[in-house]
Every structure is written in structure tokens, then in C-alpha cells.
Amino acid sequence: MTSMEKKESEDIANFNAIQDPNTLAALQDKLGQMNIKRADSDTLDLPVAIRKRVNAIKNIQLQTTKIEADLYKEVHKLEIEYAKKYAPLYERRMQIVNGEVEPSDSECVMPGEEENVTPQDNDNESLKGIPEFWLTIFKNTEILSEMCMPHDEPILESLQDIQVSFPPAPSMGFVLEFLFAENEYFEDRVLTKSYEMKSEPDDFDPVAFDGPEIVGSTGCTINWKKGKNVTQKVVKKKQRMRGGKGQTRIIQKTIKENSFFNFFSPPQMPAEDDMVDEELEALLTTDFEIGQYIRERIIPKAVWYFTNEVADIESDLDDVDSEDDASSTSDYDDDLEQNENIVANETVTDVQKEECKQQ
């Protein structure tokens, strides 16, 4: 196995820890990637003169595609401008969620509701903010809930906000920022996931252009406190000693653990000239789509996911589409089930290495 193949295998094993076949299928089903059958003009059964005219129209189409790409760039600039208008509203939301401010009486009345709200038996005025706001959103969102393991929940209780920022032009990328309160698991207060995008049609494959696409992602290093890394677990195994007569010893191995926080260690994009196998491509696609989902849905509509109103609508839409997509999705699920059998590379701890030397 070459170093590149080994690297790709490690990336797959690492990112696989947050993947589930149903998640992959659901994500790709939601975005409904369109497949277009391509046929070169020379292969069409057309007279030469008509083929030449078809090529002329294709060149016109290529020019319109380039204008379309420029349109997306302008839309991205507009999105950045409007992000400045959203910022104070999201700041206010964060302050209320985390109990930094108390909303005014007028802010607490929805259109069409009466100002006097009847007290409930479970009212507790000592509670500040909206406890477990983002954790509840994770639980209410199918895609995120399947990434979130039980051992992730205590950490996500300290999640204070999720924000999106944009790097300077001409980049079309975006950065997801997860803001945490001080907690017992890691030193960081902000975890980031950066996505690089482009809006450039390929002259040799213009049919493939369908708007801006994510071409790479970069996570961040999480500075875990001692013994608190939820993306790893240490297992102890008995090992028969070489040359010994029935003697065994206990060794420790560190293996990957399923966790949402593997999201911050995405698989690396291979070099441009390197081949990408289907498994790695599926993981990369899923990583990109999760980032887009958080950016375009979770952040701007967070409260609707908290109350489960958006999730209910999406669930209804999924039920309508499920019958039509069942056959095509099942084949894809069968292929991806093999991912669950991929075990992350086991790393022998320093303790074990020292024992091996002594033997």
C-alpha cells in the first residue's frame, strides 16, 4: 500500500466514525443530485452541418454558464452584505439563549397571541436563558442526531452558539464556528470547520456545472483535557506472550470512537491528479453536505429546529418521497453498510510499546 493509499484509508476510518448509511442516503436524497446523460455531438446520428450548428449552440450555452457562475459570485457578495444585517439579530438570539439578557415583554409576545401568558406548573423563574438549546436542536434534527453519540451530549450542553463567517474576497468559502462555554472536556472555546468553494464551470465538462461547489474542508485541532477525548477510547486486551507457556499479558490499545466531534477531522481531499474511490467520494460529499446543511438551515432557522416545527415539515416531505426512492436508496445503503465494518487503525499506547521492548 502506497503512502497516499494509506492516508486515504486512515481518513476514511477517521471520518467513518460519524457516518451512518441512513445519514448518507438521507443527505444525498435531500439534495437530489441530478444525473445528466452526456453525449458528444460526434456520436449523435446527425448530418455534419447540423452537428456543427449543435456545437455552435453548445458554445453559446457555455457562455451563458459562465454568466451564471458570475451571478453566483455576485449572490455570494450579497450574502456577505446581508450577513452584516443578520449579525445583531443572531447576537441578540445568543444573548437570550445563554441567559445574558432577559427579553422585554413585547419581545415575548408572538403576533396574534395575548400578552398575558398563563403560568405553568413547571415554571421555574430561577432558570436562565434556554437550557440545552443547541443540544435539543441536534436531537430534533435527524442528520445531526445520528452523528451525536450519548457521550457527546454533556459537551453539547455547553454549546452556546453556531455562527458562520466568510473569508475575504475572492474566496467563496465559509467558516462554521461552534462557540462553547468553559467545560471539563477541552480547553478550546471555539471550534471551527472551514469550507472552500468555487463557482467555475469546466470548459470541457460544462454540463456538470450546477452552481457553486465545495472543493475542500479543513477542521481544527481540539485540545482535549486529560482523559476526556470522546473521539477515542482505550481498550484492554489479553495477549498471549511469545515463547511463554500459556502466559498472557494485558495490553492497551487506543481506537477511534464514534462521536460528533470527528466532524472536525474531515477526510483530506486527494491531489487533483489522484483517483478518488467511491467510498472516499461518498464521505467527502457527506461532509460537504452536512456543512451546507448547518450553514443554510440550522443557523438561520435554529428556533424552528428547537421547537421541532421545521423537523416535522421535513419529516412529512421525506415520507412522501420515501416510497419513490426506496428502491434506489436500498442499493446505496447496502454498499455503505460495509463502512460500519471498517475499524479505525489501532494505535498501541506508549505503555504497550515499552512492554514490547522489555519482552
Side-chain angles (χ1 to χ4, degrees):
M1 179 180 292
T2 66
S3 59
M4 178 60 70
E5 290 173 339
K6 183 178 179 182
K7 177 60 179 172
E8 287 188 2
S9 176
E10 291 175 351
D11 287 336
I12 291 172
N14 183 39
F15 194 66
N16 182 66
I18 67 168
Q19 299 310 312
D20 178 89
N22 294 326
T23 304
L24 290 168
L27 272 170
Q28 294 176 339
D29 176 58
K30 287 177 185 295
L31 296 190
Q33 296 187 5
M34 180 173 61
N35 295 319
I36 301 177
K37 185 177 180 181
R38 296 172 175 80
D40 190 89
S41 299
D42 293 335
T43 65
L44 298 176
D45 187 17
L46 297 172
V48 174
I50 295 180
R51 289 209 307 267
K52 291 171 66 176
R53 294 172 195 141
V54 171
N55 285 340
I57 295 176
K58 282 188 173 183
N59 280 320
I60 293 174
Q61 184 64 49
L62 180 57
Q63 293 177 54
T64 63
T65 302
K66 290 180 177 179
I67 294 174
E68 181 186 4
D70 290 337
L71 172 62
Y72 284 118
K73 293 176 183 178
E74 293 301 316
V75 169
H76 183 69
K77 293 178 183 178
L78 191 62
E79 182 181 15
I80 294 175
E81 286 301 313
Y82 270 78
K84 299 174 184 176
K85 297 182 179 182
Y86 290 134
L89 298 175
Y90 291 158
E91 178 69 20
R92 180 69 173 171
R93 179 180 71 183
M94 181 179 68
Q95 292 174 342
I96 294 174
V97 166
N98 295 304
E100 298 173 11
V101 299
E102 194 64 32
S104 65
D105 291 340
S106 60
E107 285 181 295
C108 296
V109 180
M110 292 292 293
E113 290 186 355
E114 298 180 1
E115 291 192 17
N116 295 325
V117 179
T118 304
Q120 301 293 320
D121 293 338
N122 62 350
D123 280 353
N124 186 347
E125 295 186 1
S126 64
L127 289 176
K128 297 295 183 180
I130 306 178
E132 301 183 2
F133 179 78
W134 290 101
L135 174 58
T136 302
I137 291 172
F138 271 63
K139 290 182 176 180
N140 288 346
T141 309
E142 182 179 359
I143 295 169
L144 298 181
S145 66
E146 292 182 0
M147 297 168 61
C148 180
M149 301 294 112
H151 48 258
D152 294 326
E153 294 185 11
I155 310 177
L156 292 173
E157 287 178 2
S158 65
L159 180 58
Q160 296 180 313
D161 200 21
I162 305 177
Q163 301 175 358
V164 61
S165 61
F166 302 94
S171 172
M172 284 192 64
F174 61 94
V175 180
L176 297 176
E177 301 173 354
F178 295 73
L179 281 61
F180 288 86
E182 185 175 350
N183 60 81
E184 62 179 285
Y185 291 89
F186 46 71
E187 303 289 348
D188 314 273
R189 297 297 296 273
V190 180
L191 302 181
T192 61
K193 183 74 171 287
S194 302
Y195 289 90
E196 180 185 353
M197 302 180 68
K198 71 173 184 178
S199 180
E200 299 291 344
D202 186 345
D203 288 350
F204 298 100
D205 190 18
V207 181
F209 181 76
D210 192 29
E213 61 176 334
I214 297 177
V215 295
S217 65
T218 306
C220 67
T221 300
I222 302 178
N223 296 300
W224 296 99
K225 294 180 180 179
K226 186 176 181 180
K228 295 295 185 177
N229 187 345
V230 297
T231 67
Q232 297 179 349
K233 67 178 180 180
V234 177
V235 295
K236 295 182 178 181
K237 296 182 179 180
K238 286 185 178 181
Q239 184 183 70
R240 186 181 300 274
M241 296 178 63
R242 293 181 180 178
K245 297 181 179 180
Q247 294 181 332
T248 61
R249 60 177 177 176
I250 302 298
I251 63 171
Q252 293 186 119
K253 293 185 178 182
T254 301
I255 64 175
K256 296 298 296 185
E257 176 72 293
N258 290 350
S259 170
F260 164 74
F261 291 91
N262 287 313
F263 176 68
F264 299 97
S265 301
Q268 297 244 341
M269 283 289 292
E272 188 173 347
D273 296 333
D274 292 334
M275 295 293 293
V276 181
D277 62 45
E278 292 183 1
E279 187 176 20
L280 179 57
E281 184 176 7
L283 294 178
L284 289 168
T285 300
T286 302
D287 177 45
F288 298 163
E289 291 175 351
I290 292 172
Q292 284 280 48
Y293 192 87
I294 294 174
R295 169 200 178 188
E296 296 180 351
R297 300 194 184 188
I298 300 299
I299 293 177
K301 298 178 174 64
V303 67
W304 304 132
Y305 284 94
F306 175 78
T307 59
N308 220 11
E309 293 170 81
V310 170
D312 288 341
I313 294 174
E314 291 182 348
S315 178
D316 291 340
L317 292 174
D318 289 342
D319 291 340
V320 172
D321 295 336
S322 60
E323 293 184 4
D324 295 334
D325 297 335
S327 59
S328 60
T329 302
S330 61
D331 292 339
Y332 185 59
D333 286 347
D334 291 341
D335 292 338
L336 290 175
E337 281 178 359
Q338 299 176 6
N339 289 350
E340 295 181 343
N341 298 323
I342 298 177
V343 180
N345 292 333
E346 296 182 346
T347 305
V348 181
T349 61
D350 293 338
V351 174
Q352 182 190 351
K353 290 178 180 179
E354 186 63 31
E355 289 179 353
C356 293
K357 290 180 180 179
Q358 294 175 358
Q359 299 299 326

